[in-house]
Amino acid sequence: MKSPINALQDLIHLDMDAINAYQKAIDACDHEPVAAQLRSFQGDHRRHVQDLTAELTRLGEKADVRPDVKGFFIEGFTALTSVGTRSALMSMKGNEHLTTSKYKAALELQDLPESAKILLRKNYDDEVRHLRWIEDALQRKVWEGTAASP
């Protein structure tokens, strides 16, 4: 079973990977309202890294803030499959499924300090919101219209 410290560190790597993947999707996006929403989600992932780093520091640990080797594959997959808004959203849907499941698994760890549980719940809620928005945007084909509301 994974230790709480290792779980928090893994989530930092995951969020770093997400930041990079979002950049690839933003670059591929040709619908500005969608790109703006993706930038907002990317900002949430940056905040996750900052908050998780602070939590590790509070627990007496030093955070390793860099992408994981898996991130190169996630970022590369996003870049290869993202040509236009629809494909960017499809790529990010897969990435958000991954981040949501990883946060959910971390929340199930038994030895998490209460402060970490609170932080992980907040970040998990962000991930669920990201995934729902992306799925809704794909269903509504927002790139065919003029507006994409959050």
Side-chain angles (χ1 to χ4, degrees), residues 17-18 20-26 28 68-84 86-98 134 138:
D17 296 343
N20 293 332
Y22 265 105
Q23 191 58 54
K24 297 295 184 194
I26 291 162
D68 190 36
V69 72
K70 292 181 292 277
F72 294 114
F73 297 112
I74 291 170
E75 182 181 345
F77 175 77
T78 303
L80 287 173
T81 60
S82 293
V83 180
R86 181 185 178 279
S87 63
L89 287 170
M90 290 297 293
S91 296
M92 294 317 299
K93 178 182 172 184
N95 290 338
E96 284 296 346
H97 270 294
L98 175 65
I134 291 168
L138 283 164

Side-chain angles (χ1 to χ4, degrees), residues 92-102 127 131 135:
M92 294 317 299
K93 178 182 172 184
N95 290 338
E96 284 296 346
H97 270 294
L98 175 65
T99 56
T100 301
S101 68
K102 295 290 187 180
E127 299 307 322
L131 183 57
E135 289 174 337

